[in-house]
Each structure stands twice: as structure tokens, then as C-alpha cells.
Amino acid sequence: MDGVADTDDDTTPNRPDERFTLASERTFLAWIRTALGLLAGGIALLHVVPDFSTGWVRTTIALVLIVLAIAAPIAGLRRWLQVKEALESGAAMPPEHDLWVFAIAISAIGVVAAIATIVSAA
């Protein structure tokens, strides 16, 4: 030995595999990309597509998209911290509540946009 202390953390208990940690970080970045897409969609609906449906329908859908864009990074950060803690402690993964909220909200926006498109085309 050359006198250098062994600083390899692979033997440290409760150290999560780097692949899981990096996968969790990529998932967080997906939340950020989703937020940017929602924000772009909300702004575009207000300013690029002024002829879509009525003004209040367009504004309502756009505001819901923008609110979801604000909530997505917060939910993603919260979930990332929960997953990080679960990986480090060996606990169960956190529940999917935030995922369900976003899935249902975005599906509802799609339904409202589809109905508005049909009504305005008639």
C-alpha cells in the first residue's frame, strides 16, 4: 500500500447504485421538460391561436396549462427527493399521487380542447 486511505464508497452501506440515482435525475429532468412544454402550450394558445374557440375557453385552457407548468417542477423536485430518500434508506418507493394528478389534469384539458374544437367547428 502507498499509505493512501481507501476512499471507495462502494462499500458504504445504504449507498444507492449510481444507475438508479442517475435514472432518478433523468426523471426529474423529464418533469422540467414537461413543464416547459406546458408553459409553451399555454402561451401559444393565448397568443398564437387567437381564433381557437371562444376567448374564455381559450384563456381557461391556457391558464390551466400554465398552472400545471408551474406545478410540474415542484412536483418533480418533491418526487425526486422522495425517491432519493427511498434509495438511500432502502424504503419503498413513494406513491404515484402526483403522477395521477398530472395524467388526469392533462387528459381533462385534452377532452375540453376536443369539445371546444367540435363546438366551434359546428
Side-chain angles (χ1 to χ4, degrees):
M1 277 189 99
D2 59 359
V4 176
D6 184 14
T7 57
D8 186 10
D9 286 336
D10 288 339
T11 59
T12 305
N14 297 334
R15 179 186 164 119
D17 188 329
E18 287 83 3
R19 293 172 293 182
F20 299 122
T21 302
L22 293 172
S24 180
E25 289 176 9
R26 284 190 302 274
T27 302
F28 172 68
L29 292 174
W31 280 93
I32 299 298
R33 285 190 305 273
T34 300
L36 290 171
L38 290 166
L39 184 60
I43 292 170
L45 189 58
L46 279 177
H47 299 288
V48 178
V49 194
D51 296 332
F52 178 75
S53 191
T54 62
W56 71 270
V57 170
R58 184 178 60 252
T59 302
T60 301
I61 294 173
L63 286 176
V64 171
L65 288 171
I66 292 169
V67 167
L68 286 172
I70 294 166
I74 296 167
L77 180 61
R78 180 175 164 259
R79 182 152 180 91
W80 176 72
L81 291 171
Q82 290 173 335
V83 168
K84 181 177 178 275
E85 176 64 29
L87 287 172
E88 290 172 353
S89 68
M93 288 291 120
E96 305 87 14
H97 300 286
D98 293 341
L99 306 177
W100 279 99
V101 168
F102 276 86
I104 291 169
I106 292 171
S107 296
I109 291 169
V111 168
V112 169
I115 291 170
T117 301
I118 293 168
V119 168
S120 66

